[in-house]
Structure formats: structure tokens, C-alpha cells
Amino acid sequence: MYKQLTLLLLAFFGLGQGFAQVKEFRKDKAYPEKDSKGKYYTVSGERHGPSFFKKEVFPEVEYTPGDQLTFDKYHTVDVMYHWYEKWAAAFPEITDLYVIGYSFEGRPIYQMTITNKETGKDTDKPAAYFEGGRHSGEITSSESILWLTKHLLENYGKDEEITHLIDTKAIYLRPQNNPDGSNLYLFSAQRNRSTVRPHDNDRDGLVDEDPEEDLDGDGIIYQMRKMAATEEEKKKANYIVNPDHPSGKLMKRVFAGQGDYLVFTEGIDNDGDGDYNEDGVGGLDLHRNYPENWRPDIGGDLTGRGYTQYGAGQYPLSEAETRSTVLWILSHPNISVVNSMDTRVPMHLRPPSTSKSEERMYPEDLAIYKEMDELGLSYTAYPWAGDVYETYSTRYKVNRLTGDPLKPSPLFGHGPDFGYFYFGSIWYGDELWNNGAMKDYNGDGVYDDYDGLVWDEEENGGRGFKSWTPFTHPELGEVEIGGFHPKFFGQNGPPWQLEDWARKQALFNLAMAQRLPELKVETPEVKKISDGVFEVSLSWTNVGGLPVALEQAKLVKIVQEDRVSLEFDKELMEGYENAKVKITSPELYDKTIYAGHTGKGETKKVTFRVEVKMDEEVTGKIKLSSTRGGFISQEITLNN
């Protein structure tokens, strides 16, 4: 599958003939998810802990593609890729499928472009980019990209608005930006944050030495609770049974020494440091690895008084997955709208991530973002929409443990900040799913585990929570294992909820794409002033929902001014003053007319003056070039 795509790409670039006969002396890498007989899932890299784990098969996941794509189960990376390959074959006139990069373990990262090729190249059109799967376990985001792709392709030629979108714009879709992490998540009990590259999470000199373990062998890593028995345990005990819920299932955090229980994730203390499962597979965060406002990882600030960012990586864009996104994005400045999604707040999440919106954003840009916030809420009804630094960090106002007011808190190297401050675009990092907290059942103003448990019992048949079950732990003695299902309730919803969450988020992304700038160009006007003298005018209006440039995009020069040029055959314009065709206005040597940046709803008109010293009819082209508004070329005729 992957080799075929590579050969197709080589052929496309004229390299297939030269490379097709070259054979690699090594075998193709055998990825564990493709080995149906293998009992273990292995990960690459050198670590102090295990690199192989028992394979699991989850009933919530579709591992082999069916005849129809449905959203009543989650889909593996290969199942998603199957559908993208099938769509590329079925819709060649509006799709291109390609490998945009390779993951840490060498897996291909697929991306699809959707646009009507007959109406022009994708790079000549306004564009939007949507991405999922950056965080390995946050698979609902990938499903939303998959749903949107299917929705666009199946409705082209049927739905008027979608047809217009694909005819006039380009949509770039990347369902799985971290195939290594997603495969680990879906084929084993393990969970990790992002890439599987080994990482010293706890800064003890050991790497990935203390992963979670499925002690009771049920294929799922739950929590463990232990009643404090010794004096040392009683000093640390920081949980009690939540008295607000009669079942005794919920745990409530309290100050150390005021609790009855200790709570851990399921596993053992492999490195004997007193912490459980604090350094599992990987640990880098692809969403802290962007170049805008990047800070060193934990331990990287030698003063101990500055800011660091957990999971940041060794340097900005150190990770292949993030690098493939940023370098590709920078080569496509026609993109105005981006959403790179995660789970599970849920929230429409946007910049800034290190400051208040009013402190660093242009008021004009902030107004557009706030319009997008409201647009998103109209589709999803999420509880929140706003910036990372303030809205996200203080959405509950008070720390429920200490009672202190919550303060704004920065995230560094964050995608939305790169998107706005560096790339000058509308860039969201939306969070899907809500741990089942569909509403505030107890009216305490917080969407928390209490609300999730009530919904699970009333609407989900109690399948999202495992009752606490006694277990003899090899180190702790008698414990109980239980809690919310970490994968298909806590981090992602039960499968019967999947399509609703994927669909409503996808429809918001679609709505943003439908607001891309769109330059409607009138037929060029040619006016004969006198014998051999003509005025050539071009008018256009931005009928889209966005300007061709945010104020920030102008500041950082990610976009050029909209500009119009008039071109004739080169030989007709040779000879300077004696040229057969001469553009006399503009009077400057540079005959380009610079028209600024066309705002939403704005109409512009430019006029050239041309002298023609020949009797024959002269044809030329007038071209409007806008970085984010697109490229339009029309033919003109001058006739003496």
C-alpha cells in the first residue's frame, strides 16, 4: 500500500523510471499492527522499561475495513488509510492523496487535498487545513476529520454549498498526524501523550522505565485505590469516597493526610521511587513543539526561575510529526483557516496561549475570532469557547481543592499561537468529548466526574465505569481496581456517541471553510481612449466571510498585497520607447499595481493605460494575485 503510493509519487515527479528498478536490500519494516499472528505490540527506541506489550482487541474499534464506512466504532490508522485510498480512486477529479511525511517509527502520514482540478490548482485558491490525531489517545479528533472527508466527497455535485466550496477553494485534510501513538493506543492497553520517542518524564536519568501495567489482565488500565493502613500511608492519603454520590464509586481529592485512600493508575512502581507509572512510553507533546514562544522542557531552565514547558522536545520542531505540519503549512500561505484538534474538555480553543487576548491581538482580528467562537458554539453547544491563556485556564474560576482563585496559565510552543502570531491565520485547537459530563446534574457549576457518572448510569447502561474490585497487589497488598474506562469513556466517548461528536465538530470546520475569502472578479473592461491608447480596468469584490489577510498576517509579512499585472507577448514589449505595446500607467518601471489587502465585502478597481503601435489585434492577460484570496487570470483584447 505505502510502496505503491511512493512509486506513484516518484512517477509523478518523473523519477519512477530511474528508481523503479532499485531494490532495497533490507526487508520492509514489519509493523506490529499488521502482524495478525503476533501476540505482542512493540515500539521503537531504546528505553529502560519494556518496549513490548500484550496485544489487545477492543470491541469499540474496527480493525478491518467493512463494505461501508460507519461511525459506530473507532477506526484504526490502516482502516482510515483504506478509505482515503478508496476515495482517491473514486474521486480523482477532486482529490489528491499523498504522503506528507513520516512518523518517528517510519509510518507514512497521509494527507488529502480536495478541490475541483478543472477550476484551477489548489495553491491558486483560498484554503483551509484540518488535522486530527496529534495526541495518540485523542482519537475522536481523527474520526471528525474522517467524517468531514466523507461528507465533502459524497455531497459534491449534490449539495450546492459544498459544490461551490470545492469548486472555488482547497481543503487539506490530515486524519492521523501521529500514527505511532494511535496504533499503540488501539492495539495495546498502553496510553501515552504523543510520539513514542523515548523521553525521561520524571527527570531521574532513566527513560520510559515506569509504564502502566494491566495487572488484572482485562485489557484495560484502570485506577487502583488503597485504604491507607500504615502511618506513612496515612500521611500521604489524599482521597476520600465522594459523599455526594450514594454509590461509593467516586473518589474525591483532599489534602495529603486528610484522606482515607491513596489512588494510582493500575501498575507497579518499576523504578522504586514511590511514584506509580510516571514514566511510560514516550512523553513528548507534539502540541508543545511549535516554534512560536517555545520554551525548554522540564529541566532545561538552568536558573530554575524561568518558564519551562513539559513535553516541549529538545528544540522547536524537533519531532518529525510537528515538523511535517509546519514546513508544509509555510509552503502553503494560501491557508486562512486551520483546526488541529484534540480531546476532551470540550471547548473551541484558540490563541493566545501565553497572554490575554486584548494584550497581543489586533482588535480587528480578535473580533473575527470571537465571531468564530460563536459560530462554533452554534454547531457544538460546547460549554466554552475562547483563548487558552485565560478562558481555558480559569473556566472554573476556583481551585476546587484549595479554594484559591484560578489564574491565567501559559502553554508554550502551542499550535494556536504559531497559527496566529507566526502564520497570521485563524487557528483553533478544538477539544472534543467531555468525559460523559453532559450537563451539571448537581448544579455545582462544574462539569466533573459526578456528572459523568450520573450520565453513565442513566444513559450509558453503566458501561463507562468499572466497579471497584478487590485485587492483591504485589507491592501494595490489598487494593481495589476500578474507575472510568480510560479510553472509551474518559478520553473518548462510547462508540454510540462517536458520530454525534465527530459530525458537529466537522460541521463547524466546514462552516469556517465556507467563510474563506473569495474574490469575485468582473470581466475586464477595455476602453479605447484614442487611436492606439487604451485603458484596461479590473474590478473585484471579496464576497467571502474573511478578509484576505488578518492584521497579524500583514505585520509578519506572511501575505503579500493583492496585486494586478498586465502581460503581453514578450516580443511586443521589447524596445522600450519603440515597443509595439507599452504600458504607460503605472508610470514606474514596475508595472504591477499594488492594491493593498481586500477586506470582507470590499470592492476594488485598478486601471492600466496601454499604448499600441500596431494595427493588428493584441491579446494579453490581466492577472489578480492574492496570497490568500487566490490567483485569477483573464484574457483581454486590444483592437485598433
Side-chain angles (χ1 to χ4, degrees):
M1 177 172 67
Y2 307 141
K3 188 178 291 183
Q4 290 174 343
L5 277 175
T6 302
L7 290 176
L8 285 172
L9 288 170
L10 290 173
F12 178 79
F13 287 106
L15 300 174
Q17 188 173 4
F19 281 82
Q21 304 303 317
V22 178
K23 292 185 178 180
E24 174 63 62
F25 73 92
R26 296 169 295 186
K27 290 183 178 180
D28 289 341
K29 184 170 182 177
Y31 292 105
E33 66 271 17
K34 300 182 184 299
D35 182 2
S36 59
K37 296 181 181 179
K39 296 182 179 180
Y40 293 95
Y41 189 93
T42 58
V43 289
S44 302
E46 297 182 2
R47 50 183 50 83
H48 294 96
S51 289
F52 65 96
F53 305 93
K54 182 178 177 294
K55 269 190 177 181
E56 303 293 348
V57 176
F58 300 105
E60 296 88 352
V61 179
E62 184 179 272
Y63 291 92
T64 303
D67 295 333
Q68 301 292 325
L69 175 60
T70 59
F71 289 86
D72 52 358
K73 285 191 175 184
Y74 293 87
H75 305 89
T76 65
V77 176
D78 283 344
V79 170
M80 288 190 176
Y81 284 2
H82 162 85
W83 285 104
Y84 277 89
E85 291 174 6
K86 190 170 183 176
W87 289 328
F91 301 97
E93 70 282 0
I94 59 171
T95 65
D96 280 313
L97 180 64
Y98 41 95
V99 174
I100 199 67
Y102 293 88
S103 67
F104 169 72
E105 293 191 293
R107 290 180 177 85
I109 300 172
Y110 276 24
Q111 186 166 299
M112 177 173 276
T113 298
I114 299 179
T115 193
N116 182 352
K117 299 176 187 178
E118 290 188 356
T119 60
K121 299 186 298 183
D122 63 283
T123 49
D124 284 345
K125 300 173 182 176
Y129 169 74
F130 302 117
E131 162 187 287
R134 176 185 47 246
H135 290 155
S136 57
E138 299 176 7
I139 53 178
T140 308
S141 62
S142 293
E143 299 289 343
S144 186
I145 300 296
L146 187 67
W147 193 97
L148 177 58
T149 310
K150 180 176 185 288
H151 183 68
L152 290 172
L153 296 177
E154 291 185 350
N155 284 282
Y156 180 71
K158 301 174 184 177
D159 181 281
E160 183 178 345
E161 290 186 355
I162 288 177
T163 302
H164 178 76
L165 176 70
I166 294 174
D167 284 346
T168 60
K169 315 296 190 311
I171 309 299
Y172 303 115
L173 298 157
R174 190 182 301 189
Q176 289 280 357
N177 200 35
N178 178 18
D180 299 349
S182 291
N183 275 303
L184 174 68
Y185 190 83
L186 294 173
F187 283 87
S188 78
Q190 290 298 303
R191 303 171 292 167
N192 81 331
R193 179 66 172 171
S194 289
T195 175
V196 300
R197 181 192 294 277
H199 181 258
D200 184 5
N201 294 352
D202 57 352
R203 310 295 301 178
D204 64 352
L206 300 177
V207 179
D208 294 5
E209 79 284 358
D210 195 2
E212 302 170 333
E213 286 94 3
D214 174 25
L215 298 178
D216 59 4
D218 64 357
I220 303 166
I221 294 172
Y222 285 102
Q223 289 187 306
M224 306 183 300
R225 70 179 186 185
K226 182 187 187 305
M227 177 74 77
T230 67
E231 289 303 315
E232 186 63 26
E233 289 175 345
K234 290 178 181 179
K235 289 180 182 179
K236 296 179 179 179
N238 60 345
Y239 279 89
I240 61 173
V241 174
N242 192 327
D244 296 336
H245 197 280
S247 68
K249 294 179 178 180
L250 283 184
M251 304 302 293
K252 180 178 181 179
R253 189 175 179 183
V254 295
F255 288 110
Q258 295 183 2
D260 302 315
Y261 287 88
L262 297 164
V263 176
F264 315 91
T265 53
E266 190 176 346
I268 61 175
D269 178 14
N270 293 274
D271 55 357
D273 63 356
D275 294 322
Y276 281 73
N277 315 317
E278 80 286 350
D279 199 349
V281 175
L284 296 172
D285 191 330
L286 298 177
H287 215 196
R288 309 291 183 268
N289 191 231
Y290 283 81
E292 174 64 30
N293 222 344
W294 182 89
R295 293 291 185 277
D297 209 332
I298 303 298
D301 166 31
L302 300 185
T303 72
R305 301 184 300 278
Y307 281 106
T308 57
Q309 177 60 62
Y310 176 79
Q314 290 186 343
Y315 50 85
L317 303 186
S318 61
E319 304 312 299
E321 298 85 351
T322 312
R323 190 162 62 251
S324 74
T325 298
V326 168
L327 295 183
W328 183 84
I329 282 280
L330 290 175
S331 71
H332 289 73
N334 57 320
I335 294 171
S336 291
V337 169
V338 176
N339 205 338
S340 182
M341 301 177 294
D342 300 320
T343 67
R344 48 149 260 195
V345 177
M347 182 177 177
H348 297 295
L349 201 63
R350 60 164 173 82
S353 304
T354 60
S355 61
K356 294 182 179 182
S357 296
E358 291 76 12
E359 289 177 348
R360 289 190 64 203
M361 297 183 76
Y362 283 98
E364 302 93 329
D365 296 347
L366 179 55
I368 293 173
Y369 264 108
K370 288 183 176 180
E371 288 178 9
M372 292 297 188
D373 290 348
E374 293 303 315
L375 178 66
L377 294 176
S378 72
Y379 282 94
T380 65
Y382 292 165
W384 305 281
D387 65 79
V388 176
Y389 178 72
E390 190 170 28
T391 308
Y392 173 78
S393 297
T394 65
R395 65 191 186 276
Y396 282 133
K397 308 306 178 188
V398 174
N399 183 309
R400 300 185 74 194
L401 178 63
T402 66
D404 293 344
L406 291 172
K407 299 178 181 179
S409 179
L411 287 180
F412 298 101
H414 199 218
D417 273 18
F418 165 80
Y420 177 69
F421 293 108
Y422 194 113
F423 191 63
S425 68
I426 300 294
W427 188 303
Y428 278 82
D430 282 357
E431 300 261 350
L432 291 68
W433 185 236
N434 62 358
N435 191 33
M438 299 295 180
K439 62 181 181 179
D440 183 10
Y441 284 94
N442 58 357
D444 65 353
V446 177
Y447 295 89
D448 59 10
D449 287 349
Y450 176 94
D451 305 302
L453 182 58
V454 173
W455 180 82
D456 181 51
E457 293 172 338
E458 293 185 357
E459 306 293 339
N460 193 47
R463 295 185 296 272
F465 195 100
K466 177 179 179 175
S467 295
W468 296 101
T469 304
F471 182 82
T472 302
H473 191 276
E475 299 166 343
L476 297 172
E478 296 305 313
V479 300
E480 294 173 290
I481 295 177
F484 288 107
H485 193 306
K487 294 190 176 185
F488 302 111
F489 194 90
Q491 202 165 21
N492 304 278
W496 68 274
Q497 283 282 302
L498 171 59
E499 183 160 18
D500 179 55
W501 286 83
R503 176 188 59 82
K504 63 188 181 184
Q505 178 66 52
L507 290 178
F508 167 49
N509 290 339
L510 174 58
M512 285 201 293
Q514 290 171 331
R515 282 159 175 76
L516 286 168
E518 180 176 340
L519 301 184
K520 183 179 179 181
V521 180
E522 303 297 331
T523 301
E525 179 184 346
V526 178
K527 183 178 179 180
K528 187 173 181 179
I529 304 301
S530 61
D531 288 345
V533 179
F534 299 86
E535 283 188 350
V536 180
S537 300
L538 187 71
S539 300
W540 68 93
T541 302
N542 183 358
V543 299
L546 290 173
V548 299
L550 298 185
E551 295 302 311
Q552 180 69 15
K554 300 174 190 177
L555 175 70
V556 297
K557 305 298 184 291
I558 202 75
V559 296
Q560 295 192 43
E561 287 185 66
D562 297 344
R563 53 208 181 276
V564 185
S565 60
L566 190 57
E567 295 181 3
F568 299 95
D569 289 342
K570 185 177 180 181
E571 58 268 21
L572 296 178
M573 303 187 73
E574 292 176 344
Y576 300 100
E577 294 301 321
N578 298 318
K580 294 179 179 180
V581 177
K582 182 170 63 173
I583 300 173
T584 59
S585 178
E587 298 178 358
L588 300 174
Y589 177 82
D590 181 2
K591 300 303 181 181
T592 304
I593 296 180
Y594 297 90
H597 303 90
T598 311
K600 174 184 174 182
E602 184 177 7
T603 297
K604 293 194 172 186
K605 182 177 181 179
V606 300
T607 300
F608 295 87
R609 180 165 288 210
V610 183
E611 290 184 3
V612 178
K613 298 179 180 179
M614 55 187 292
D615 294 330
E616 294 87 350
E617 181 179 88
V618 175
T619 60
K621 290 183 178 179
I622 189 166
K623 299 179 178 180
L624 171 62
S625 180
S626 173
T627 304
R628 289 186 173 162
F631 174 76
I632 300 100
S633 176
Q634 299 191 69
E635 190 169 285
I636 62 165
T637 301
L638 307 181
N639 196 334
N640 270 325

